[in-house]
Amino acid sequence: MERRDEILHIAGQLFSQRGYHATSMRELARHLNLQGGSLYAHIASKEELLIEVVRQAAARFLGVLEGLEGDPVAKIRALVRGHLRVIAEELPRATVFFHEWKHLSPPFLKEARALRRRYEEGVQGVVQEGVDKGVFRTESARLATLFLLSALNWTYQWYRPEGPLSLEEISEQYARLVLRALGVWEGGEDGEA
Amino acid sequence: MERRDEILHIAGQLFSQRGYHATSMRELARHLNLQGGSLYAHIASKEELLIEVVRQAAARFLGVLEGLEGDPVAKIRALVRGHLRVIAEELPRATVFFHEWKHLSPPFLKEARALRRRYEEGVQGVVQEGVDKGVFRTESARLATLFLLSALNWTYQWYRPEGPLSLEEISEQYARLVLRALGVWEGGEDGEA
DNA sequence: CCTACCGATCGGTAGG
DNA sequence: CCTACCGATCGGTAGG
């Protein structure tokens, strides 16, 4: 069972780097010092690897939603931080979650879509709560949610642990940008550093 | 030469739907009522199709940058509109531009990266101009640019022509969200519809 | 643009 | 977990 986790780990890395279809089972096996066919002593199929990686990533993102508390502003702040932290800690899996899931076939595809929708609905819930309480000002909660999700989801494309900006800095400023977009002007903050 | 454009058109659609590696040349040929090998009378390789689609999409996005004029606020508004319009009109090609380019091999990969970078630098230029003129208020122009690009780039994931929101509505509100994030509060607008 | 074909590689299995 | 193998399919080419 431990070996299976190793396989999943490497599979996540390869799928995220080269893409699902461009990763062959033999290549995966080579990274584990195995023969191609030996993988099937631990897993049923290539697609199983993909859905498992998607599930692992989904669990991390959904975990962020569960930890939210406080007023809508605090929730958005924690959401931005949490989302970026998952991406920082799980870049390969997050990448698969955001992209490679599309290559799943119907039964698993449906599951992946459901997991992603749950996350999106969680985010929308926070936005809606802020709108209902009069804290966020936006014409359409739906569009503001899509905007927020877009800003968050794309970060896996450019965030690199070794980059010039620390996760702390990025989180801090991203949260500010998002809150401003939602119509929340921070007290005592005039926009200059 | 007209036939080649047809091939490129269908290739863009298939690459965006199923992904580059999951699209076979025989499948592409079938969509054109051709035999697999016949494609090579018009093109040199599968990869050529990919880079060409990327180039076409890049031309559209870079065209948006060229059309920008006025003050930074007007430019951001036109940028958001233009970007979303390209996505609306060229969804398959835009998708390939944002994703499938990763599967290019070194020489073409470099070109694709350069095209994307040019677009990103163009956007950064607008943000920087706004910051320099004191119109935009943000701690880091770089991070604000990444935020803006993230919000824009991800739209191809959820925008659908047949969706409930018209391109006009989306553009209008997206521009407002972006400008607010950049610290621009619209005069006479209090956030309520 | 077709027919016929190339070598390579694919995911997966049998049997140990 | 290995050896040896399966049928299928891949991108691409020769010759017409």
Side-chain angles (χ1 to χ4, degrees):
Chain A
M1 193 57 81
E2 187 196 291
R3 193 64 165 150
R4 192 168 193 274
D5 291 337
E6 280 185 62
I7 296 174
L8 284 172
H9 186 70
I10 306 292
Q13 292 182 349
L14 294 177
F15 290 168
S16 75
Q17 280 168 26
R18 317 178 190 210
Y20 177 68
H21 280 108
T23 303
S24 76
M25 294 304 273
R26 282 162 179 81
E27 190 181 359
L28 172 59
R30 212 179 310 121
H31 281 261
L32 292 151
N33 293 316
L34 289 180
Q35 295 302 315
S38 305
L39 288 169
Y40 294 89
H42 303 94
I43 57 148
S45 69
K46 185 182 181 184
E47 195 174 20
E48 184 190 296
L49 291 176
L50 181 52
I51 185 67
E52 282 287 358
V53 172
V54 167
R55 283 175 185 143
Q56 290 178 343
R60 292 288 322 254
F61 282 109
L62 292 172
V64 172
L65 288 179
E66 283 164 22
L68 302 182
E69 48 189 26
D71 61 39
V73 170
K75 283 185 180 173
I76 288 290
R77 251 193 260 277
L79 177 66
V80 170
R81 276 176 191 288
H83 185 105
L84 293 176
R85 190 150 56 83
V86 171
I87 284 178
E89 292 172 6
E90 306 266 12
L91 197 47
R93 275 189 266 253
T95 301
V96 172
F97 183 62
F98 286 122
H99 266 124
E100 303 302 319
W101 66 272
K102 286 184 192 173
H103 298 113
L104 288 163
S105 56
F108 291 136
L109 185 64
K110 203 180 156 191
E111 180 185 343
R113 271 198 233 273
L115 288 169
R116 292 171 53 81
R117 202 177 320 119
R118 257 175 63 192
Y119 186 63
E120 296 183 10
E121 285 173 356
V123 174
Q124 173 136 11
V126 176
V127 173
Q128 190 62 59
E129 185 192 338
V131 171
D132 292 344
K133 291 187 174 172
V135 181
F136 300 156
R137 283 170 292 178
T138 180
E139 280 188 38
S140 158
R142 174 63 186 154
L143 214 85
T145 302
L146 286 170
F147 178 83
L148 167 52
L149 279 166
S150 296
L152 289 179
N153 287 356
W154 190 258
T155 51
Y156 82 94
Q157 288 267 11
W158 56 264
Y159 175 78
R160 291 296 173 269
E162 69 279 11
L165 297 160
S166 77
L167 185 63
E168 259 321 297
E169 290 173 302
I170 296 171
S171 296
E172 182 65 36
Q173 296 197 45
Y174 235 67
R176 193 171 307 181
L177 289 161
V178 165
L179 285 170
R180 275 192 193 170
L182 290 171
V184 179
W185 216 253
E186 281 174 330
E189 179 259 327
D190 65 359
E192 313 297 329
Chain B
M1 193 59 79
E2 186 198 291
R3 192 64 166 150
R4 192 169 192 273
D5 292 337
E6 280 185 63
I7 296 174
L8 284 171
H9 186 70
I10 307 291
Q13 293 183 348
L14 293 177
F15 291 169
S16 74
Q17 280 169 27
R18 317 178 190 210
Y20 177 68
H21 281 108
T23 303
S24 76
M25 294 303 273
R26 282 162 179 82
E27 190 181 358
L28 172 59
R30 213 178 310 124
H31 281 261
L32 292 150
N33 293 317
L34 289 182
Q35 295 303 312
S38 305
L39 288 168
Y40 294 87
H42 302 94
I43 58 150
S45 68
K46 186 182 180 183
E47 195 173 19
E48 183 188 298
L49 291 175
L50 182 51
I51 186 66
E52 282 288 358
V53 173
V54 167
R55 283 174 185 144
Q56 291 178 342
R60 293 288 321 254
F61 282 108
L62 291 172
V64 172
L65 289 179
E66 284 163 24
L68 301 182
E69 50 189 25
D71 61 37
V73 170
K75 283 185 180 171
I76 288 289
R77 250 192 260 276
L79 177 66
V80 170
R81 275 176 193 290
H83 185 105
L84 293 176
R85 191 152 53 85
V86 172
I87 285 179
E89 291 173 7
E90 305 268 11
L91 197 47
R93 276 189 265 254
T95 301
V96 171
F97 182 62
F98 286 122
H99 265 124
E100 303 304 320
W101 65 274
K102 288 183 191 173
H103 297 114
L104 289 163
S105 56
F108 291 136
L109 185 64
K110 202 180 155 191
E111 181 184 344
R113 272 197 232 274
L115 288 168
R116 292 170 54 80
R117 202 177 321 118
R118 259 175 63 194
Y119 185 63
E120 295 182 10
E121 284 172 357
V123 173
Q124 174 136 11
V126 176
V127 173
Q128 191 63 58
E129 185 192 339
V131 170
D132 292 344
K133 291 189 176 171
V135 181
F136 299 157
R137 284 171 292 178
T138 179
E139 282 187 37
S140 160
R142 174 65 185 151
L143 212 85
T145 302
L146 286 171
F147 179 83
L148 168 51
L149 278 167
S150 297
L152 288 180
N153 287 356
W154 190 257
T155 51
Y156 82 92
Q157 287 269 10
W158 57 263
Y159 175 77
R160 292 295 174 271
E162 69 279 11
L165 296 159
S166 77
L167 185 63
E168 260 319 298
E169 290 175 303
I170 297 173
S171 296
E172 182 66 35
Q173 297 198 45
Y174 235 67
R176 192 172 307 181
L177 289 161
V178 165
L179 286 170
R180 276 193 192 169
L182 289 172
V184 180
W185 217 251
E186 280 173 331
E189 179 259 326
D190 63 0
E192 312 298 330

